[in-house]
């Protein structure tokens, strides 16, 4: 066994099952292992590395800010936070933002905002506010968010969970309407379910959900942690349905692949429920994170990542669907967020990922059935072609064996 892997297994809690490769360097769409072998990264750290590894402009922003001022906490003002949040609000059309670190923290922030809004603005009786989410969702790993999950493994051994959490079928707007009560504060939904297996709802689903939420004075909060920042061929995946939600949760790509940066954005009525002392984060909105995130947003817009994802995603998905293999049940996706569902009677998604790794393609399975392809948005058509050749050859090898 590789000594690094052995050491990690000795000292790190076994809450992940990584592929057996030790990565030591990255540049653009490629990473290298400790033996010098190069791999094409088709995971992008679950979309966190949308800009590619070690993007020069982002590394420069990180280095320059780190040499000047890194962390001071929100106990004081800094000169980096306001320009970052102003830029974020300008491009999203929201009034205010609250910066955090991980995506899960931003989701928790959204839930707290929704509940307090329900009590102070909507008039829900104290301690009765409800949050509705969807079956198959993934909004993070905190106790409250896991309480919304329908995945047994995410919940087992971690209860009891907070009350006021409900789930409805994903893609079924009628189910949402039936679940709403006078106590409903918010509907939290992913425009495309990433961890759920790249599940895309019917066209018009999100627009109908927005209509229903407005009808019943319920906040529509879109979790765009994976799908936002140009990943699906638009700045935000909710815009594919022409939807402007009441709030949006961002993370992953916001940190440019260098830092954990997240934010909850909403209209002023929602965000102004927070008063000093209600909520906070020692590292959230620190100058280093703000400088990197601002540059990440600028690079994404200037280099037209959304347009690239739309064009290359259509090409990638089209070529993937042309592969004739009995192992494939379905290829689906939007932009450069693509899932290949396999026939698990013939092959497991994990085995396919391990075989692709041997051929220099790194990906990871979800729910044992789907292989994800979500490369950095700087990938080229030629690099996609090279990956497709390896994918086809891997599938063929399993078919022959």
């Amino acid at each position: 066994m590789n000594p690094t892997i052995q050491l990690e297994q000795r000292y790190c809690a076994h809450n992940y099952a990584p592929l057996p490769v030790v990565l030591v360097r990255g540049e653009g769409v490629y990473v290298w292992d400790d033996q010098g072998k190069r791999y094409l990264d088709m995971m992008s750290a679950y979309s966190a590395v949308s800009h590619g590894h070690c993007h020069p402009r982002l590394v420069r922003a990180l280095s320059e800010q780190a040499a000047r001022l890194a962390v001071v906490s929100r106990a004081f003002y800094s000169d980096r936070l306001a320009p970052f949040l102003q830029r974020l609000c300008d491009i999203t059309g929201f009034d205010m933002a609250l910066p955090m670190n991980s995506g899960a923290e931003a989701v928790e922030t959204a839930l707290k905002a929704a509940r307090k809004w329900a009590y102070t603005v909507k008039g829900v009786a104290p301690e009765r506010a409800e949050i509705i989410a969807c079956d198959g969702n993934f909004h993070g790993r905190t106790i409250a968010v896991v309480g919304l999950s329908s995945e047994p493994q995410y919940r087992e051994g971690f209860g009891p969970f907070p009350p006021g959490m409900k789930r409805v079928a994903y893609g079924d707007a009628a189910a949402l309407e039936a679940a709403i009560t006078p106590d409903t504060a918010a509907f939290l939904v992913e425009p495309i379910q990433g961890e759920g297996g790249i599940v895309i709802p019917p066209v018009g689903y999100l627009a109908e959900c927005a209509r229903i939420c407005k009808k019943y004075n319920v906040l529509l909060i879109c979790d765009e942690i994976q799908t936002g920042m140009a990943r699906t061929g638009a700045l935000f995946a909710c815009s594919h349905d022409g939807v402007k939600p009441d709030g949006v949760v961002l993370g992953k790509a916001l940190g440019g692949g260098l830092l954990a940066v997240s934010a909850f954005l909403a209209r002023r009525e929602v965000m102004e429920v927070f008063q000093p002392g209600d909520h906070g984060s020692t590292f959230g909105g620190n100058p280093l994170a703000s400088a990197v995130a601002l540059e990440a947003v600028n690079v994404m817009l200037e280099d037209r990542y959304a347009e690239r994802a739309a064009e290359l995603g259509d090409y990638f998905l089209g070529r993937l669907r042309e592969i004739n293999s009995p192992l494939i049940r379905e290829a689906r996706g939007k932009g450069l967020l693509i899932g290949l569902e396999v026939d698990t009677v013939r092959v497991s998604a994990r085995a396919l990922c391990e075989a692709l790794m041997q051929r220099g393609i790194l990906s990871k399975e979800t729910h044992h059935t789907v292989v994800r392809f979500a490369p950095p948005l700087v990938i080229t058509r030629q690099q996609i072609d090279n990956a497709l050749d390896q994918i086809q050859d891997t599938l063929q090898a399993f078919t022959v064996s």
Side-chain angles (χ1 to χ4, degrees):
M1 180 184 290
N2 182 294
T4 299
I5 294 175
Q6 190 173 25
L7 194 65
E8 181 172 318
Q9 289 187 349
R10 168 66 179 84
Y11 289 103
C12 186
H14 299 169
N15 60 322
Y16 276 88
L19 292 181
V21 59
V22 178
L23 304 178
V24 298
R25 184 167 69 90
E27 182 179 346
V29 299
Y30 295 110
V31 289
W32 285 260
D33 69 13
D34 54 356
Q35 305 302 309
K37 181 177 178 178
R38 189 183 75 172
Y39 302 82
L40 179 61
D41 181 3
M42 296 297 281
M43 270 287 290
S44 302
Y46 304 94
S47 294
V49 191
S50 288
H51 296 73
H53 294 275
C54 301
H55 191 291
R57 280 179 59 177
L58 302 185
V59 171
R60 183 164 58 250
L62 177 76
S63 177
E64 291 176 355
Q65 186 62 42
R68 192 161 49 238
L69 181 67
V71 178
V72 292
S73 88
R74 291 286 305 284
F76 312 99
Y77 290 96
S78 77
D79 66 340
R80 295 292 86 203
L81 178 59
F84 162 50
L85 297 186
Q86 180 185 23
R87 182 67 160 145
L88 209 52
C89 288
D90 285 347
I91 68 169
T92 60
F94 288 104
D95 297 320
M96 303 179 78
L98 203 164
M100 299 298 286
N101 305 289
S102 71
E105 287 179 273
V107 169
E108 287 275 354
T109 301
L111 297 183
K112 290 174 76 172
R115 280 181 163 178
K116 192 161 190 182
W117 171 87
Y119 299 132
T120 60
V121 178
K122 185 175 179 177
V124 173
E127 306 300 315
R128 293 187 60 85
E130 297 175 342
I131 305 294
I132 300 176
C134 289
D135 293 336
N137 76 75
F138 184 82
H139 298 296
R141 302 279 192 173
T142 62
I143 290 290
V145 174
V146 166
L148 282 168
S149 178
S150 60
E151 176 63 32
Q153 184 182 4
Y154 298 166
R155 298 169 58 90
E156 185 178 355
F158 299 124
F161 302 107
M165 305 291 190
K166 299 167 68 174
R167 290 194 311 273
V168 296
Y170 186 60
D172 186 344
L176 167 64
E177 186 164 21
I180 290 174
T181 74
D183 294 331
T184 304
F187 176 48
L188 175 65
V189 62
E190 298 161 275
I192 296 172
Q193 289 189 338
E195 186 68 18
I198 320 300
V199 180
I200 302 173
V203 174
Y205 165 68
L206 207 59
E208 180 63 8
C209 290
R211 184 195 69 78
I212 291 168
C213 287
K214 185 175 182 180
K215 176 182 176 181
Y216 294 99
N217 194 23
V218 169
L219 299 178
L220 174 62
I221 300 175
C222 287
D223 181 342
E224 296 260 13
I225 293 169
Q226 276 200 52
T227 56
M229 299 286 288
R231 169 58 57 183
T232 67
L235 186 59
F236 302 112
C238 60
S239 65
H240 291 299
D241 240 12
V243 168
K244 170 70 181 299
D246 298 294
V248 67
V249 186
L250 300 180
K252 296 197 185 296
L254 199 56
L258 297 177
L259 295 170
V261 184
S262 65
F264 171 58
L265 295 98
R267 51 188 171 90
R268 189 170 300 276
E269 178 190 77
V270 177
M271 203 64 79
E272 285 189 336
V273 302
F274 287 117
Q275 301 298 318
D278 281 354
H279 187 53
S281 166
T282 299
F283 288 91
N286 69 74
L288 186 61
S290 299
V292 171
L294 175 59
E295 190 72 346
V297 170
N298 289 337
V299 169
M300 177 194 68
L301 295 173
E302 292 167 20
D303 292 350
R304 302 175 67 86
Y305 280 8
E307 291 84 348
R308 288 182 56 82
E311 178 188 344
L312 294 174
D314 285 347
Y315 176 74
F316 194 164
L317 187 57
R319 284 284 315 276
L320 202 57
R321 286 172 171 166
E322 290 173 359
I323 298 176
N324 183 18
S325 170
L327 304 182
I328 298 176
R329 295 190 61 186
E330 184 184 18
R332 55 180 179 261
K334 194 80 172 175
L336 283 170
L337 181 62
I338 295 171
L340 185 69
E341 186 173 348
V342 299
D343 182 352
T344 53
V345 174
R346 297 171 180 265
V347 64
S348 72
R350 170 75 181 206
L352 197 55
C353 288
E354 290 176 347
L356 285 169
M357 182 189 74
Q358 297 301 323
R359 293 175 178 268
I361 305 293
L362 288 184
S363 184
K364 196 68 167 59
E365 78 282 359
T366 179
H367 292 293
H368 311 292
T369 59
V370 177
V371 178
R372 284 176 282 217
F373 297 116
L377 303 183
V378 296
I379 197 169
T380 65
R381 185 175 293 229
Q382 182 179 354
Q383 290 164 339
I384 289 173
D385 284 335
N386 293 339
L388 285 161
D389 289 342
Q390 297 302 324
I391 294 167
Q392 185 164 5
D393 288 349
T394 301
L395 289 166
Q396 178 63 27
F398 273 101
T399 304
V400 171
S401 62

